[in-house]
Amino acid sequence: MAQIPIAMVRSSGPTRGSDSRGWRVTPYLFVAPFLALFVLFVVVPIGAAAWASLHAWSLGLPNQPFVGLENYADLFGGTSVLSVEFWKGMKATGLFTLLSVPLLVIVPLALALLLNQKFPGRTFFRAAYFAPYVLGVAVIGLLWHFLLDRQLGPVNQILRALGLGGDIAWTTSLPAGWVALVGATIWWTCGFNAVIYLAALQNVPEELYEAVKVDGGGAWRRFTTVTLPSIARVLQFVVAITIIASANMYGQSALITQQQPGTSTRTAIGFIAQTGIQGFNIGASSAMSIILALSLMVVSGLVLLAFRKVGDSDS
Amino acid sequence: MSQTVATSRPTPTRDQGERSDAATPRRRRPRIALGLTLGALTAAFVVPLLLMLSTSFKSPQEANSLTFRLFPENPTLSAYSEILNNPEIPILRWLGNSLLVAVLHCVLVVVLAALAAYALAKMDFRFKKAIFAAIVATMFAPGVIFLIPHFLIVNQLGWLNTYASLVVPSAAGAFGVFFLRQFFLGVHPSIEEAARMDGCNRWATFRRIAVPLAMPAIATLAVLAFLSSWNDFLWPVFVLFSSEMQTLPAGLAQLQGENAARFDLMMAGAVIASLPVLLVYVFAQRYIIDGVAAGGVKG
């Protein structure tokens, strides 16, 4: 092995300083494969999205003339079909996010607190609640489209048998459509968030709970003074990833409600993909994705700030 | 090591705490309430899956009848034989496509991220700080801005309607590198120093020392990468067009579109699509769940 003496020299002290300034090829060989893809599929796209949003670029146009902020002005102008449909999609995305995020943060937390108790078969229940998530959105979409069918779906049939009406058009009317989308999403993903909470809960030192108990604090005080502060970082993480996931919701609305009634449950990302990929209107769809991305960053920033505030008041 | 994957094992101190609780006379009622809650919750999670299974064994007439039965009156495999023998619905091919794409994506993510993360954690080189800063900076870019550019690039590369379009673009994400770098940073230098003394070069140290030590983190990343590829719906629906190239999500959407009134057929499709992952899940659920938990708590 020819490398042995070199390696020995490298690892010994004195040459180290000069070594790091020199051009050694090994580290670059390690980084290069990832970096190549990173530049092509992460760095270039960020630039490309910004560039495309400033140009008129669509099917039938021979080239892509620079139009400045015209694509944005068009969208904010609110008169073109594209603009109306886009804001309808943004509204749908916002509504779904607003409805689903609080439930997807709180329900899994309750589930995790429950699973954090000691009882036999705990692992089994944890596995059962997580199972829907591994099935993927396509199976979940097909399943709930069936379960919620107006005529034949078991949900309405059971409601009918119980004498509770049972003629709700879950997938084709509003606001029932939103109930269907939010409900199916909670059923599908709440195990995912619960598992993350549960791992965090298991790292909370038991002594802290004991201390509150000694002070005479009840379950609620234990929750607010020990549990919540101890998992604040993970809570913030869950809120952030849940907002991002909800704002990217597409599969459920494509499969469960099939974007009905009309296109009322079509989310912004669905409309962006349709405009850009199917309609090849690259300029407009790029401007839309940047508007959606910036709104998301603003919301994430606000979440971060809110948690800072909470953290401050604690200390 | 503080970096081991979280397990569900309760700590001894908690055990004692529970016991002192159990000594109080109020013990019984909470236990019953807990049992009832768990029962109701488990039913809520399991019943929809049972309905999927039972409907898949119904005849078309029974599946579309207005009197609903939990169990099929005359169980039949007709939906399965119809779906498996219809060349218009190559569901096994879709299943194979999905598994292949998810596995390739997962391998690519893990290999690229491990190599880059190791160099960024353990080696000195020019531009290291700048490269890492760039990778971290892009972690905050919302995924939606990549959608249209990825489509343009994949189109330019001639990758539309190929596996490469599903495997490669999403493998360049920053999370894997960031996640594994944290782990490699925790590996004590003396372990590697010893390996180098024994004659290992950088590559051998990486392969024989760092990677085995990082296995829990690598497994976590692999699970997350597999699940995200398996779950991907929007992208394959828009970049695949021929029937035999579809992944399961895209194929099932097509099945639903064309057989709107055939719930027996749709549920049979859903069962076929669920079986492989559910089987893997039953055997590996502990690792899958712990992996997701570790990704969330440490990410």
Side-chain angles (χ1 to χ4, degrees):
Chain A
M1 275 185 121
Q3 292 99 322
I4 298 170
I6 302 167
M8 301 266 281
V9 172
R10 287 222 171 116
S11 63
S12 62
T15 48
R16 211 169 217 167
S18 61
D19 208 55
S20 64
R21 260 179 277 126
W23 182 266
R24 285 182 312 150
V25 84
T26 321
Y28 298 99
L29 289 180
F30 272 75
V31 181
F34 175 78
L35 220 51
L37 286 193
F38 180 72
V39 169
L40 183 58
F41 289 108
V42 177
V43 179
V44 168
I46 292 177
W51 189 87
S53 76
L54 301 174
H55 292 73
W57 182 352
S58 61
L59 209 61
L61 277 181
N63 42 33
Q64 297 108 38
F66 178 80
V67 294
L69 295 175
E70 210 171 274
N71 285 321
Y72 294 94
D74 234 34
L75 290 171
F76 282 106
T79 47
S80 64
V81 178
L82 220 57
S83 161
V84 171
E85 289 299 313
F86 171 63
W87 291 109
K88 215 170 115 190
M90 285 290 276
K91 227 178 87 190
T93 294
L95 190 61
F96 177 78
T97 309
L98 218 61
L99 292 171
S100 69
V101 170
L103 290 169
L104 282 172
V105 168
I106 294 165
V107 174
L109 182 56
L111 208 58
L113 288 169
L114 185 73
L115 288 172
N116 199 34
Q117 320 260 7
K118 224 173 83 84
F119 54 84
R122 203 165 62 140
T123 323
F124 164 79
F125 292 109
R126 190 181 67 152
Y129 303 157
F130 190 81
Y133 187 76
V134 302
L135 297 184
V137 71
V139 168
I140 269 58
L142 231 58
L143 175 58
W144 284 93
H145 181 72
F146 159 62
L147 294 177
L148 295 170
D149 185 81
R150 184 174 192 165
Q151 291 295 319
L152 307 169
V155 171
N156 268 353
Q157 296 221 21
I158 290 166
L159 288 178
R160 240 173 275 156
L162 294 172
L164 295 169
D167 192 36
I168 301 165
W170 293 107
T171 60
T172 52
S173 74
L174 293 180
W178 290 115
V179 176
L181 289 174
V182 171
T185 305
I186 290 172
W187 184 81
W188 177 38
T189 63
C190 93
F192 187 88
N193 284 355
V195 159
I196 295 174
Y197 282 133
L198 196 57
L201 287 176
Q202 283 169 353
N203 289 333
V204 180
E206 190 63 26
E207 300 81 60
L208 294 179
Y209 289 114
E210 293 299 323
V212 179
K213 250 189 223 172
V214 170
D215 283 353
W220 179 249
R221 254 198 67 201
R222 259 175 290 163
F223 177 70
T224 52
T225 58
V226 177
T227 312
L228 274 185
S230 305
I231 64 165
R233 237 175 58 86
V234 168
L235 193 65
Q236 179 187 354
F237 174 78
V238 169
V239 171
I241 60 163
T242 307
I243 289 175
I244 289 167
S246 294
N248 279 311
M249 192 275 273
Y250 172 75
Q252 295 96 305
S253 97
L255 292 164
I256 299 173
T257 58
Q258 303 183 315
Q259 309 190 336
Q260 296 177 69
T263 52
S264 293
T265 56
R266 178 172 62 194
T267 51
I269 192 153
F271 185 64
I272 292 171
Q274 210 175 309
T275 308
I277 298 178
Q278 279 177 346
F280 210 79
N281 191 343
I282 303 297
S285 61
S286 296
M288 292 175 199
S289 26
I290 285 180
I291 293 173
L292 178 57
L294 287 178
S295 339
L296 261 175
M297 287 172 86
V298 168
V299 173
S300 308
L302 289 177
V303 168
L304 218 78
L305 257 164
F307 273 89
R308 280 267 162 74
K309 281 265 161 60
V310 172
D312 284 349
S313 69
D314 265 358
S315 58
Chain B
M1 284 226 311
S2 61
Q3 300 269 16
T4 47
V5 175
T7 68
S8 58
R9 225 173 299 127
T11 59
T13 45
R14 172 166 306 161
D15 217 341
Q16 283 158 15
E18 292 283 329
R19 237 165 250 156
S20 64
D21 226 15
T24 65
R26 287 192 306 161
R27 181 194 162 195
R28 226 191 164 86
R29 212 173 305 162
R31 284 272 135 177
I32 295 170
L34 179 72
L36 287 176
T37 316
L38 284 170
L41 273 171
T42 310
F45 278 93
V46 173
V47 167
L49 296 176
L50 285 179
L51 292 172
M52 168 170 97
L53 197 64
S54 89
T55 307
S56 75
F57 290 115
K58 289 179 176 174
S59 65
Q61 294 78 18
E62 202 186 348
N64 289 12
S65 106
L66 275 169
T67 44
F68 175 75
R69 278 194 189 82
L70 182 54
F71 296 104
E73 202 165 32
N74 304 302
T76 164
L77 290 171
S78 70
Y80 289 94
S81 76
E82 186 175 341
I83 209 170
L84 291 171
N85 292 319
N86 186 344
E88 304 275 294
I89 312 172
I91 192 161
L92 294 180
R93 169 82 198 240
W94 297 340
L95 188 68
N97 288 346
S98 259
L99 287 171
L100 182 71
V101 162
V103 167
L104 288 178
H105 171 79
C106 172
V107 169
L108 191 66
V109 166
V110 166
V111 171
L112 294 184
L115 285 170
Y118 182 70
L120 289 167
K122 291 293 186 186
M123 298 179 188
D124 266 334
F125 54 101
R126 218 186 281 184
F127 309 124
K128 177 171 130 170
K129 284 212 172 106
I131 290 172
F132 185 63
I135 291 173
V136 171
T138 62
M139 276 178 72
F140 300 101
V144 58
I145 59 170
F146 299 106
L147 178 67
I148 303 300
H150 276 180
F151 169 70
L152 294 173
I153 295 169
V154 160
N155 184 26
Q156 277 294 310
L157 293 169
W159 284 1
L160 283 181
N161 204 29
T162 67
Y163 296 135
S165 68
L166 305 186
V167 171
V168 183
S170 48
F175 172 75
V177 173
F178 183 80
F179 181 69
L180 290 186
R181 178 180 167 272
Q182 291 296 102
F183 198 93
F184 285 131
L185 282 176
V187 175
H188 199 274
S190 64
I191 302 173
E192 299 202 318
E193 208 65 24
R196 241 169 289 159
M197 289 301 201
D198 286 343
C200 286
N201 59 21
R202 273 299 193 184
W203 171 248
T205 314
F206 169 73
R207 270 279 319 279
R208 297 204 207 134
I209 310 294
V211 168
L213 281 176
M215 234 23 188
I218 288 176
T220 292
L221 182 61
V223 165
L224 293 174
F226 183 92
L227 283 178
S228 83
S229 173
W230 181 261
N231 252 326
D232 198 7
F233 181 74
L234 178 97
W235 180 247
V237 161
F238 282 97
V239 299
L240 303 173
F241 0 96
S242 65
S243 179
E244 77 273 13
M245 287 305 294
Q246 306 284 351
T247 56
L248 213 48
L252 289 182
Q254 186 191 316
L255 174 71
Q256 186 187 14
E258 289 164 9
N259 298 280
R262 291 292 308 278
F263 286 126
D264 59 321
L265 212 59
M266 275 193 250
M267 290 306 105
V271 170
I272 295 173
S274 310
L275 273 184
V277 263
L278 272 189
L279 279 181
V280 172
Y281 181 64
V282 166
F283 289 110
Q285 51 93 1
R286 207 199 131 107
Y287 302 99
I288 293 171
I289 288 179
D290 286 348
V292 168
V297 178
K298 309 239 190 289

